[in-house]
Amino acid sequence: MTTPTGLAAAPSLQEIERARANVSQIAKITPIERSKALGAELGHEVFIKCENLQRTGAYKVRGAYTKLLSLTDEERAHGVVAASAGNHAQGVAMAARELGIKATIFMPIGVALPKLQATRRYGAEVVLEGDIFDRTLAAAKAFSAETGATFIPPYDDPRVIAGAGTIGLEILDQQPDVETVVVPIGGGGLISGVAAAVKQKAQLLGHRIRVVGVQSDRASSYLPSLEAGHPVTVPVHPSIADGIAVGRPGTLNFEIIRDLVDEIVTVRDEEIARAIVLMLERAKLVVEPAGAAAPAAILAGKVHSAGTTVAIASGGNIDPLLLQQIIQYGLVELSRYATISVMLPDRPGQLQIISEHVAGQDANVVEVLHTRHGKGFDIGAVELQISVETKGEEHLQQVLNSLREIGYDPQIVR
């Protein structure tokens, strides 16, 4: 994908600089941390831009505050409204509180409790409406039309984009030798702003920076849109990365991404889960699935860079129960947790034999299921399902081979 020099749709560097001055009143400059694990995968130094440590737990407050600050006194008096299941809700709610503006946030029925509580804590009035997000969005826009409240879009707005672009300026300040920036993409607000900032600033410095976008393969709208030459709508399939599960690019975002982003790749839920586990263990960072898309792409070998790379961890708002499930999922993908099924003759001592061989390979048994009932079982046979913790793929194969050597046929249960 080539990178034209056209910047007609993007906010100017001056606009992004002005946004940074304003954003500094509410957002903090988030740290940038070296990741040896990701660097080893890529073959060059990799740094993580930790927007998961931002106020409200995500970068969204930057764009929300920039947008709200631009409202007239009359618009402020009528309040603002937004529709969101997560980070945008909290960003708008906090920005509105700081500026003394009434905020009404429409959230879908069944939204995760921590996100609902956080949005209310920032002082917004929350309305639960719609069992799918499209209905929630329609209700918010109807409220805007009825009350005169200004609708605050999550990504398709020049000031929201400029606010997101402040992250790009911070990256260049913190890591001036950066050659590649990897950014998650949902609707495109974050990458539009970051690309506009780093491309224009790098041009002034005579330095070339590649921008790589990462979408979930469950909602990858940008690749077919770029191929078609205009935004197209794609089906959105269930994904752990709901924060970037957007079925159609933003109109303005599409134009900027088409002109300024060098490459777009996709990641699977399994790859995102692996990245979340790695970030927890190695970087000591809690990152939500959408926020882990950029590290996931590097870890999966889908990003190629000739030099220093920065991956943006865009948010860290994750329900603890979901995090528990993802950790389990990620450990399975890393072959550090597996459930092994073995068919055994129904006679005494078989369970002991299996347990001893697994323990002899230094694998930790977590759970055991022993049953005589199952479709296709031979008479006189039982199934043993044994869940084990291992040290990785090589160790898991060692456990399986040990069982094969004594005549069993172990199978991994997915």
Side-chain angles (χ1 to χ4, degrees), residues 237-353:
H237 301 285
S239 169
I240 61 173
D242 58 348
I244 54 173
V246 179
R248 184 179 178 86
T251 303
L252 181 57
N253 311 106
F254 172 79
E255 294 180 24
I256 298 170
I257 290 169
R258 177 193 60 202
D259 288 352
L260 297 181
V261 173
D262 297 273
E263 184 181 9
I264 294 175
V265 299
T266 63
V267 289
R268 298 178 292 111
D269 276 5
E270 295 88 345
E271 292 163 341
I272 291 173
R274 289 178 60 206
I276 290 172
V277 172
L278 180 137
M279 300 282 274
L280 279 169
E281 285 193 322
R282 302 291 295 275
K284 314 306 177 190
L285 293 171
V286 176
V287 182
E288 66 188 77
I298 294 173
L299 191 61
K302 297 180 179 180
V303 175
H304 305 285
S305 175
T308 301
T309 299
V310 173
I312 298 178
S314 56
N317 292 319
I318 184 169
D319 186 313
L321 292 175
L322 176 60
L323 180 60
Q324 180 183 22
Q325 294 173 24
I326 289 173
I327 290 172
Q328 184 74 27
Y329 194 52
L331 289 174
V332 169
E333 284 303 307
L334 291 164
S335 297
R336 291 174 46 193
Y337 183 93
T339 299
I340 302 169
S341 171
V342 185
M343 298 304 298
L344 306 172
D346 189 9
R347 58 175 182 260
Q350 292 297 305
L351 177 58
Q352 181 180 352
I353 292 171

Side-chain angles (χ1 to χ4, degrees), residues 129-216:
E129 184 79 31
D131 54 352
I132 60 173
F133 184 73
D134 284 349
R135 292 175 186 166
T136 307
L137 179 61
K141 290 186 174 180
F143 178 87
S144 174
E146 292 165 8
T147 65
T150 300
F151 179 76
I152 308 299
Y155 48 83
D156 201 357
D157 179 274
R159 290 190 172 87
V160 170
I161 293 169
T166 61
I167 298 171
L169 297 182
E170 287 181 19
I171 288 172
L172 290 175
D173 288 345
Q174 294 169 314
Q175 203 59 44
D177 65 339
V178 62
E179 294 193 21
T180 301
V181 181
V182 189
V183 192
I185 307 179
L190 176 58
I191 195 169
S192 298
V194 170
V198 301
K199 292 285 187 175
Q200 292 179 81
K201 193 67 177 285
Q203 193 173 47
L204 289 177
L205 300 172
H207 179 43
R208 189 178 188 281
I209 297 177
R210 292 180 71 247
V211 177
V212 178
V214 185
Q215 286 207 287
S216 165

